[in-house]
Amino acid sequence: MPVFLVTPLGHNADQVGEAIRANVAAEDFLELPGRAGWLITSKGTSIEVSNQVGLTSPESDFKPTLGSAMVTTVGSYYGRAPTTIWEWLKTRIENPR
């Protein structure tokens, strides 16, 4: 299943986190340490994830309230992080639901 990284681009991590917790099932997201962002699994596109969270909307009269954030698809991963992050990524990418 595709995994997306939602990265707040301002001092809005609390608001973005609240929106993710309200709009995404708990088993479908993981908060990164230091409120650096969230990993989200979804069968949709980055636009659909952005709309689901409430960053954007297909409605023309939408008034954004969360501030700026970036939604990107995770195509590969590497680096240093807690084991829980690597396990979460592995299980979501290798075992689509």
Side-chain angles (χ1 to χ4, degrees):
M1 178 177 294
V3 174
F4 299 88
L5 174 62
V6 178
T7 307
L9 298 177
H11 299 286
N12 59 338
D14 290 337
Q15 294 84 0
V16 173
E18 289 173 17
I20 289 171
R21 285 186 288 280
N23 294 296
V24 179
E27 64 272 6
D28 291 336
F29 74 88
L30 178 71
E31 183 173 354
L32 298 178
R35 298 180 339 183
W38 292 262
L39 295 169
I40 295 177
T41 58
S42 174
K43 292 181 181 178
T45 66
S46 55
I47 292 171
E48 291 168 329
V49 170
S50 180
N51 290 341
Q52 177 184 2
V53 170
L55 294 165
T56 56
S57 172
E59 306 298 324
S60 60
D61 61 345
F62 175 72
K63 303 284 190 256
T65 60
L66 294 178
S68 296
M70 183 170 59
V71 179
T72 55
T73 305
V74 176
S76 63
Y77 54 90
Y78 184 78
R80 294 180 55 199
T83 303
T84 53
I85 293 174
W86 303 125
E87 288 177 356
W88 193 93
L89 280 166
K90 180 177 173 49
T91 60
R92 289 348 187 250
I93 290 172
E94 293 181 4
N95 299 308
R97 291 185 265 170

